[in-house]
Structures are given as C-alpha cells and as structure tokens.
Amino acid sequence: MRYALECVHCGRVFEDDSLVRCPECGGLLEVTLRYDEIDVDRSTFESRGLGVWTFRELLPVDEEPVTMSEGGTGLHPCDRLAEEVGVSSLQVKNEGENPTGSFKDRGMTVGVTKARELGAEVVACASTGNTSASLAAYAARAGIRCVVLLPAGKVALGKLAQALFHGAEVIPVDGNFDDALSVVKRLADEGLVYILNSVNPFRLSGQRTIAYEICLQRGWDVPDAVVVPVGNAGNISAIWQGFLDLYELGLIEDLPRMYGVQAEGAKPVVEAIRSGAEDIEPDPEPETVATAIRIGDPVNAVKALRAIRCSGGWAVAVSDEEILAAQRELATTEGIFVEPASAASIAGLRKFVDMGEIGGDEDVVCVTTGHGLKDPEIVMKTCELPEPVPPDPEVIAERIKGA
Ligand code: F0G
C-alpha cells in the first residue's frame, strides 16, 4: 500500500480504509503517504491538465473517481491589492471556481469515491453550508443517499438551495454547527451513516491538492506565506500536509509559513496560538457574519495548531466589519467575488502585515474558499439598487454624464 492511516493522537498505524477514527484511542486519523513507494517527479504532474486527479498517485483511492473536474482553480495575481495591503506579491487561490463553488469539492471527490468503494448506503455531514452543498452534489452523482444536518437559520441561502436541490435530506438542527457535528459523529460511530465531515481522512487528502496546485502553478516555487480562513480547521491542516508531501517527495525545496484567520466571534484557534496552549478552549456561542466559519469547537484544532506552529506562522481574528470591507475590496479592485468567510483571509493578511508578521517584501498566497454567490443576501444588505428609469437614451445619457 502506498498509504496508511495514522492516528494523530496515539501514532498507531492502520491499513483499513473503513476506519474514520482510531479504533484504539478514538483519535483523528490522517492519511500518511509512503513516499518510498510513490514514483513521481515534477514532470509527472506537469504533463497533465490541472485538477485534483492530476495528483492521483498522491490520493488514497484506486477506484474510478466520482468527479466533476474539481480543482484546477485560478491562482490570480492581485497587484493592486498587494500594493494597497503592502506586500510585494499577492496571489489569490480562488476556490470558489470549483463545481459547487467551494474548496469542499476537492475533498468530496475523494471522500465520496471512498464511500462508494466501501459500499456506504448513507453518507452524512453536519455543515455550515458548503460541505452540505458539495456532499449533496457528489452523493447525487454517485447515487448514494445523503443526509445533512444544518444549524437552523444560520446557513447562507445559496448553500441551502444547493443541498435541497441536489436531493439531500436536509435536517435543520436547533443548535450550532458544533452541536450538529457531535450528533453526526455519534451516528457514524453507531454505523448508521458514513461521515464526510473533515474528521474523514480521505476527504482531507483531497484538500491537500490546494497546496499541490499552488506549487505546480508557480513552477514549484513556494510562497513565503499562505493565508487561510479557519473554521473546523481541516483545510489549513490539509494544505500544510500537502506542502509537506511535496517536500518529502523532493518536488519542492522550501515550506511556506501557514497563517490562520478566524472571526472575532469564533476564534478558539487564535486564542490558543496567542496563549501557547496545547489545545483550544471551545467557545459555546460562536457568532459571526461569516456563517461558514461560525464554529466554536473545531475538531481539527490540534492539527491546525501544529501546522501554524511548525511552519512558523501565526493566527489572528478579524471583525465582521473588516471581513465585509475586505470582501468588497477584493470584488471592486480585483474582480474576485468571494463569500465573507473567504474574505477573512484578505482581512487577516492586512493584520499580519500591520503586525510585522508578514514582511512587505514577501510573496503571499491567500486562499479564498467559497464563491460570493453563495450568500447574496449579505451583499445586498450593503448595496443600494437604484430606482428604475424609462428606456430613454437621453435620460440615461444624462445619468451617465452626470456621474
Ligand atoms: N471557508 C468556507 C467558505 C467554508 O465553508 C469553511 C468551512 C471554511 C472556510 C473553513 O474551513 O472548516 O476546514 O477550517 N465550512 C464547513 C462547512 C464547516 O460545513 O461547510 P475549515
């Protein structure tokens, strides 16, 4: 086998793909690649079109994938914003360009392929929205029954529409994401459902391709810093592991520093980084306009703390006002429309630069995780729709000249 599952807590190693948590200590499992058994070089990947399955030798499945051409997202130079923020180079890895509009598709193509391989009858997740939208779509494509638990009244409209329309059984829960996730974990332990939250190691393997793609798109030149919004803390951990994989395989010569950004109202990872604690103190009442990262008890926190610390990075919290201002700035100066949680990475970058954590001469990649159309209601609250006018060229010409 070119991979195994390793427990993040007790270090035991397993070769049993049906596991989603350590059978010995209950800890999180991570896919570890056996680098000696993987025969790839830079040209293996350079000769293929860009996407998740470009990196199939590094993914823990051998079956035909359940796929919709996920990944292959743009890495957009943002020169005007770089100047504005005060760094020498800024690129935005825009994950909103995935099939269902978020980075979750990278994980689901791998995770749902594994679910089908294992013969799962029901796949399930708790979600702040994007995970459910993605799982609903991939489960539909695979022909597997899908159940999603959502915090009632706290999921952005576009995401809810996706989950419903792809035919998932949507169960709104009177509680927050953390409450919903603990229920799904319990049902998974009882064998009722196959869980596709970011406790699933196969899903997170797919998300490592964000790092693989960044390196490939930059001709294997590694950025100084990578800035990522943090909710349940799976993505920042997966991206860091992706860089480590390429480093261990000898495909890159450096590693970036990893920077996490949370919202002021939901910042347990930031608190732990600041205090030097080994684990987070859960926040029982997370609240933020960026509903995607409205999470008080991130399950992957320990891995995220490790990624940030081992890489020499840091974490900050940003206010809702800073998030919405960054969202607008990215849209108006660079043409990139992202949802509020994604804009946290841009708002966070500003803070890291102000703090001197990221230097003015550095080369930065911000990961924007979801499309702006996911949450149209939030942007319409700050946009004014002008009064209609008659379709009269003179009236409209006057309007344009007057502007
Ligand atoms: N950005 C967006 C747009 C997200 O949807 C999420 C997580 C994150 C960032 C944070 O990523 O959890 O790996 O740290 N959304 C999950 C969901 C929780 O249910 O859709 P993370």
Side-chain angles (χ1 to χ4, degrees):
M1 279 262 267
R2 65 181 189 285
Y3 67 91
L5 295 176
E6 186 174 330
C7 177
V8 172
H9 299 269
C10 72
R12 286 189 184 85
V13 176
F14 306 93
E15 286 195 3
D16 176 354
D17 284 4
S18 69
L19 298 173
V20 285
R21 73 154 88 193
C22 177
E24 298 292 333
C25 78
L28 289 170
L29 294 175
E30 206 165 37
V31 171
T32 46
L33 296 176
R34 293 188 168 136
Y35 301 115
D36 297 346
E37 292 179 34
I38 298 171
D39 181 22
V40 292
D41 58 25
R42 289 177 174 182
S43 67
T44 314
F45 306 124
E46 284 165 350
S47 61
R48 299 173 182 162
L50 192 69
V52 168
W53 296 97
T54 303
F55 304 96
R56 53 184 175 263
E57 289 86 351
L58 311 185
L59 297 172
V61 283
D62 295 309
E63 300 282 304
E64 197 51 39
V66 181
T67 179
M68 291 190 273
S69 302
E70 46 293 309
T73 56
L75 182 66
H76 306 289
C78 292
D79 297 343
R80 290 209 286 156
L81 194 54
E83 198 178 332
E84 177 70 26
V85 173
V87 288
S88 68
S89 164
L90 171 60
Q91 292 172 311
V92 166
K93 180 69 172 157
N94 189 22
E95 290 296 295
E97 294 165 32
N98 274 295
T100 77
S102 84
F103 70 96
K104 307 288 181 178
D105 298 341
R106 292 180 185 272
M108 289 307 173
T109 183
V110 177
V112 173
T113 301
K114 185 58 71 182
R116 192 172 63 180
E117 187 185 313
L118 293 168
E121 285 174 11
V122 189
V123 289
C125 69
S127 182
T128 55
N130 282 321
T131 300
S132 67
S134 182
L135 181 57
Y138 283 84
R141 201 158 172 82
I144 304 176
R145 187 174 163 204
C146 175
V147 177
V148 303
L149 273 66
L150 306 177
K154 294 290 184 180
V155 172
L157 186 65
K159 304 173 190 182
L160 189 56
Q162 287 176 293
L164 289 166
F165 208 66
H166 284 301
E169 291 159 55
V170 172
I171 306 180
V173 173
D174 272 331
N176 61 33
F177 168 83
D178 306 294
D179 302 322
L181 181 56
S182 63
V183 173
V184 178
K185 278 164 72 177
R186 166 93 180 265
L187 301 180
D189 284 344
E190 288 169 5
L192 190 65
V193 301
Y194 184 68
I195 187 168
L196 275 157
N197 280 102
S198 54
V199 293
N200 184 303
F202 300 102
R203 207 195 100 183
L204 286 187
S205 271
Q207 288 173 214
R208 292 183 196 179
T209 61
I210 295 178
Y212 303 160
E213 285 188 8
I214 290 172
C215 293
L216 183 52
Q217 284 170 303
R218 292 169 51 99
W220 309 100
D221 173 43
V222 176
D224 296 312
V226 177
V227 187
V228 186
V230 173
N232 216 16
N235 207 30
I236 192 167
S237 321
I239 295 173
W240 171 239
Q241 190 56 51
F243 284 111
L244 287 176
D245 289 340
L246 296 191
Y247 188 79
E248 292 295 334
L249 287 163
L251 303 188
I252 55 173
E253 276 139 32
D254 301 298
L255 289 165
R257 304 193 310 276
M258 300 297 301
Y259 289 89
V261 186
Q262 294 195 293
E264 273 293 346
K267 55 171 186 205
V269 171
V270 175
E271 297 284 12
I273 287 289
R274 216 180 268 160
S275 70
E278 273 195 24
D279 202 350
I280 55 148
E281 193 69 52
D283 176 348
E285 287 180 12
E287 200 49 82
T288 168
V289 70
T291 50
I293 52 172
R294 184 175 168 272
I295 295 175
D297 189 9
V299 283
N300 292 292
V302 171
K303 285 195 285 168
L305 295 174
R306 199 175 63 189
I308 293 167
R309 287 176 180 146
C310 291
S311 70
W314 198 246
V316 287
V318 289
S319 69
D320 283 357
E321 293 70 32
E322 288 166 333
I323 288 172
L324 296 177
Q327 183 190 24
R328 182 178 286 272
E329 192 172 20
L330 190 58
T332 55
T333 62
E334 299 291 354
I336 300 173
F337 187 24
V338 303
E339 66 168 285
S342 306
S345 64
I346 305 293
L349 171 62
R350 234 178 229 293
K351 286 211 163 159
F352 291 126
V353 172
D354 290 348
M355 292 159 71
E357 268 295 327
I358 293 180
D361 57 347
E362 294 203 288
D363 174 4
V364 183
V365 171
C366 281
V367 180
T368 54
T369 43
H371 202 288
L373 290 173
K374 291 274 189 174
D375 192 357
E377 289 174 312
I378 195 71
V379 294
M380 288 313 287
K381 276 187 191 157
T382 58
C383 292
E384 213 173 300
L385 190 61
E387 283 302 309
V389 296
D392 176 338
E394 277 176 30
V395 174
I396 294 173
E398 279 312 307
R399 170 80 72 93
I400 293 168
K401 285 182 206 156

